[in-house]
Amino acid sequence: AASQLVTWSRLASDSLVADYQVAAGKIQVIPPGVDLGLFRPGERTRGAGPVRVLFVGGDFVRKGGPELLTAMCELPPSVELDVVTGSDVVGIPSDVTCRVHRGLKPRAAELIDLYRRADIFALPSRGDCLPQVLAEAAAAGLPLVATPTGAVPEIVRDGVNGFLVPVGSAAELASALRRLVDNPTLRRRMGSESMAVAARDHDAAANNLRIFALMAAAAGHAEPARITGVLSEVS
């Protein structure tokens, strides 16, 4: 009975058509987006200090944390890992520098700082839908290493703004991370591509306007200028 349906991903949109026989013309794909003013690149000094890999995932095991710890063993000792999670992290190899950050809330200052200090973002999920942390990392200008689960390939373009590796393969995860660790130029290029993806598809302000425009059109009151003004006053 809805005049319009909104999904966060093309994966979900395709499911509505194939599994629920919804007319494709009734569906709009609008990701939730991130605050591009908040999630932005930090002032990283290229080539100075250790390369920092960032992992953000509430369920450490399901998000592929154990595979990441194994992969870190194959990287130079100078590479450091920051793990943001709500789970217990066990089995950290003795030769891996790993800092575990627990209890961080979304948009927390410490979390934002970790994004800005990172050089690479890794999320080798065993199963996922559309992880918001990938959009945050993309907006922060990071190259992304992930698995092709759910709608992840809609954010991570293999070979463009990062790498997609098989689920559960610590060896291929290590290989992808090593390519980025060894090549600062590649990190910068892929990080720039990530920012372009975030600006095009994951700008929360722009995507929220699209939602309001859909609601106004459905109500028969399409006034984009007025909607924009209201949102400006709210922000």
Side-chain angles (χ1 to χ4, degrees):
S3 61
Q4 291 286 325
L5 295 170
V6 175
T7 67
W8 283 5
S9 67
R10 291 190 300 275
L11 178 75
S13 174
D14 291 344
S15 175
L16 287 180
V17 174
D19 302 322
Y20 298 92
Q21 292 73 55
V22 175
K26 291 179 60 173
I27 306 170
Q28 298 284 334
V29 178
I30 306 177
V34 298
D35 182 346
L36 299 186
L38 185 63
F39 291 93
R40 62 181 190 275
E43 297 299 323
R44 293 184 289 274
T45 304
R46 306 299 183 182
V51 174
R52 296 179 61 160
V53 178
L54 176 62
F55 167 100
V56 181
D59 186 333
F60 185 72
V61 173
R62 181 173 65 82
K63 297 288 184 173
E67 290 86 83
L68 182 55
L69 290 178
T70 300
M72 288 292 297
C73 294
E74 304 302 318
L75 301 180
S78 59
V79 181
E80 300 181 354
L81 175 64
D82 286 286
V83 170
V84 178
T85 186
S87 306
D88 292 328
V89 179
V90 298
I92 298 175
S94 59
D95 57 345
V96 171
T97 299
C98 176
R99 293 175 289 267
V100 179
H101 310 263
R102 300 187 61 184
L104 299 187
K105 301 295 184 181
R107 298 168 62 93
E110 185 179 347
L111 177 60
I112 300 300
D113 185 61
L114 288 170
Y115 277 111
R116 293 178 182 170
R117 290 176 176 270
D119 297 286
I120 302 167
F121 188 84
L123 191 75
S125 293
R126 298 177 181 181
D128 229 316
C129 296
L130 185 72
Q132 183 72 348
V133 293
L134 287 174
E136 294 171 352
L142 299 177
L144 313 175
V145 180
T147 51
T149 59
V152 168
E154 296 180 31
I155 300 180
V156 185
R157 317 293 167 82
D158 190 38
V160 179
N161 69 324
F163 297 109
L164 293 171
V165 300
V167 173
S169 177
E172 294 202 40
L173 174 60
S175 178
L177 289 171
R178 186 64 184 254
R179 289 181 64 182
L180 290 166
V181 167
D182 291 344
N183 194 334
T185 300
L186 180 63
R187 294 202 301 270
R188 287 194 292 270
R189 177 172 65 79
M190 287 190 162
S192 295
E193 293 288 347
S194 283
M195 290 180 64
V197 170
R200 183 180 65 246
D201 300 329
H202 299 277
D203 180 348
N207 290 2
N208 289 344
L209 279 175
R210 291 179 62 192
I211 295 288
F212 275 90
L214 280 175
M215 294 170 63
H221 300 290
E223 300 180 38
R226 182 178 175 185
I227 294 170
T228 302
V230 170
L231 288 182
S232 297
E233 290 178 12
V234 171
S235 62

